[in-house]
Amino acid sequence: MFGRFRGLSVDPGVFWVSVIVAAAFVGWGVFATESLSAAASAALGYVISNFGWVFVLSTFGFLVFALFLAFSRYGRIRLGQDGEEPEFRTSSWVAMMFSVGMGIGLMFYGVAEPISHLTAPPHGLAEPGSEEAARLAMQYSYFHWALHPWAIYAVVGLSLAYFVFRKGKSNLISTAFYPLLGDRVEGAPGKAIDVLAIFATLFGTATSLGLGALQINGGLNYLWGVPLGTGVAIAIIAVLTVAFVASAVTGVHNGIQWLSNTNMVLAALLLLFVLVVGPTVFIFNTLTESIGDYFSRLVPMSFQTAAFGDAEWLAGWTIFYWAWWISWTPFVGTFIARISRGRTIREFVLGVLVVPSLVTFAWFAVLGGTALDMELAGRGDIAAAVAESPAAALFATLEELPLSVPMSLLALFLVALFFVSGADAGAVVMGMLSSRGILEPNRALVALWGLLAGAAAAICLLAGGLEGLQQAAIISAAPFVVVMILMCYSLFRELRSETLPGIAPPEHDGARYQTKTPQRATREP
């Protein structure tokens, strides 16, 4: 079943198809950049026009499904053997989950999104620059970054953790389809699912790398006048790709865990500094009021489509975000599953949904709220900086505060760490998916996928900058949303076979496949 590629033990049906197509994409971008850009724009237009509603409806469905499992009797089921203790302590679990899940995105959009909504309110619901526009800006920032994206991660991570650690199956996306496909997950249908997962991971990772490179470029420009440009961003990608590959090959217990813990400490320091020296009372007022606005409008926002216009705004923000999160689910979901052994379904879902959402509320209230206060009071010109380059928004805000240079340096360093910690997790997951789910894949294989992810990010920037990154995320996520919907059905079908107090397992569900004792992480020779 396994093939050999220069000493790397891989699944040839998944590995070769994925590598060849990824290499072809890179080649297309190098030798025919304009052709790639035109094709991506056409594909994006088709997806948004015909399937934007699928992203909107399914994302809310994932949130409802995750909450149902957490608060139902199934919430007592442990992701592992009964009585098994969690593999990682809770603080490290939360740090790794958050750092990999969206740390670099929050650094990029923490100021840029609220200010963008202030100057161009969502769906034209307020006057640009008004206090009502500021209220909407925070409301939609929370909407895009709190419960919905983490519900997307939760359903995939939960499915994988359940089948891997409780049912003893391989750590592959296709594993979650055993109840539907049976042994065919070892054949062409299962391999096709894993290939789709690798593509989504590759371009989700590339989007994150591109955003990180653009923001580092923006910071260097603000601090030392380094020119803004695609060439500089690609050079930054090249340097940091070497760093995240080096981190990834050290494994989860070493490089990734250390980086994630460091990220959380430095991010907390940055928030605390801005909270203390910034408009503290306004920040707390904004946090309190925005959380209320968010929950009061959660359901209506969740069903907002472009049926009556404003398709461009929806495509550039809500649908882009839902697609970006979906494109991240194979690697974030796989990674969260990898670090969640021994937790119950209820603990898993609440941990994945609630803790990162609370951090998100605080993040946007502190950074976004500070920038909004400056704009409403006429201090600084952050809106102009965002219009010129969203990547510079955070640094334009810090420039108006005391100790702007050291804090900007801290922010730059933090972006680089989030860049590395998120990307190395993606490389590790692509290594898992292409080597039959081994929990610690061969280091050379991880390095190969890391290099391809960096190359894909560079190509996306060449093909359209920030817009090119958004196009890649949405297009790669389109087929995977169907995989996620079927995954939810498969998980629920199998959970019904669990023997729990008050739950009688259906006779036909219990013996579809044999359960073997899940093994601890092993390293591929």
Side-chain angles (χ1 to χ4, degrees), residues 231-249:
V232 177
I234 290 175
I236 292 169
I237 289 175
V239 172
L240 291 184
T241 294
V242 175
F244 82 71
V245 167
S247 172
V249 298

Side-chain angles (χ1 to χ4, degrees), residues 368-388:
T370 298
L372 289 174
D373 180 68
M374 292 176 179
E375 278 296 310
L376 293 174
R379 293 185 289 113
D381 201 0
I382 302 170
V386 171
E388 181 180 354

Side-chain angles (χ1 to χ4, degrees), residues 114 133-143 286 290 364-365 368-369 372:
R135 179 197 297 268
L136 284 170
M138 294 301 299
Q139 178 181 309
Y140 272 88
S141 296
Y142 284 179
F143 174 58
T286 298
S290 298
F364 277 99
L372 289 174

Side-chain angles (χ1 to χ4, degrees), residues 108 111-117 119-120 222 228 317 375 381-394 396 466:
F108 190 94
V111 171
E113 179 165 356
I115 294 299
S116 296
H117 296 334
T119 56
Y222 246 81
L228 294 171
W317 289 102
E375 278 296 310
D381 201 0
I382 302 170
V386 171
E388 181 180 354
S389 173
L394 174 60
L466 180 59

Side-chain angles (χ1 to χ4, degrees), residues 35-92:
S35 171
L36 174 61
S37 180
S41 297
L44 177 66
Y46 179 81
V47 169
I48 295 298
S49 299
N50 294 280
F51 300 106
W53 65 272
V54 176
F55 288 105
V56 172
L57 192 60
S58 61
T59 299
F60 184 71
F62 297 142
L63 176 58
V64 172
F65 180 67
L67 290 173
F68 163 74
L69 292 183
F71 292 105
S72 71
R73 288 172 293 182
Y74 300 114
R76 298 194 298 271
I77 298 173
R78 192 165 293 279
L79 304 175
Q81 299 305 294
D82 292 334
E84 188 172 355
E85 293 297 319
E87 182 177 0
F88 293 93
R89 66 180 186 272
T90 300
S91 59
S92 290

Side-chain angles (χ1 to χ4, degrees), residues 3-239:
R4 289 280 171 181
F5 175 69
R6 294 185 180 178
L8 306 183
S9 185
V10 297
D11 182 339
V14 175
F15 176 78
W16 282 108
V17 172
S18 303
V19 168
I20 290 172
V21 174
F25 171 81
V26 172
W28 187 6
V30 170
F31 297 107
T33 306
E34 292 184 2
S35 171
L36 174 61
S37 180
S41 297
L44 177 66
Y46 179 81
V47 169
I48 295 298
S49 299
N50 294 280
F51 300 106
W53 65 272
V54 176
F55 288 105
V56 172
L57 192 60
S58 61
T59 299
F60 184 71
F62 297 142
L63 176 58
V64 172
F65 180 67
L67 290 173
F68 163 74
L69 292 183
F71 292 105
S72 71
R73 288 172 293 182
Y74 300 114
R76 298 194 298 271
I77 298 173
R78 192 165 293 279
L79 304 175
Q81 299 305 294
D82 292 334
E84 188 172 355
E85 293 297 319
E87 182 177 0
F88 293 93
R89 66 180 186 272
T90 300
S91 59
S92 290
W93 179 59
V94 170
M96 287 190 287
M97 177 170 58
F98 184 79
S99 180
V100 169
M102 56 177 56
I104 200 167
L106 284 175
M107 291 295 295
F108 190 94
Y109 284 106
V111 171
E113 179 165 356
I115 294 299
S116 296
H117 296 334
L118 177 70
T119 56
H123 308 294
L125 295 175
E127 278 293 318
S130 65
E131 292 184 356
E132 182 60 27
R135 179 197 297 268
L136 284 170
M138 294 301 299
Q139 178 181 309
Y140 272 88
S141 296
Y142 284 179
F143 174 58
H144 290 148
W145 290 86
L147 291 175
H148 284 70
W150 287 99
I152 292 172
Y153 297 156
V155 295
V156 174
L158 178 60
S159 297
L160 291 175
Y162 175 80
F163 283 102
V164 172
F165 297 130
R166 191 164 182 86
K167 297 297 182 179
K169 295 300 175 179
S170 300
N171 195 30
L172 297 168
I173 297 295
S174 58
T175 287
F177 289 84
Y178 261 100
L180 303 182
L181 298 177
D183 290 337
R184 285 180 294 170
V185 296
E186 302 291 342
K191 295 182 189 300
I193 291 170
D194 291 329
V195 168
L196 283 176
I198 288 177
F199 288 155
T201 301
L202 181 68
F203 291 107
T205 303
T207 302
S208 302
L209 299 184
L211 290 177
L214 289 175
Q215 189 167 31
I216 291 173
N217 189 184
L220 294 175
N221 175 264
Y222 246 81
L223 289 170
W224 296 297
V226 175
L228 294 171
T230 301
V232 177
I234 290 175
I236 292 169
I237 289 175
V239 172

Side-chain angles (χ1 to χ4, degrees), residues 250-267:
T250 65
V252 175
H253 284 275
N254 297 312
I256 298 176
Q257 182 176 201
W258 182 87
L259 283 174
S260 298
N261 290 334
T262 303
N263 285 342
M264 293 300 290
V265 172
L266 294 180

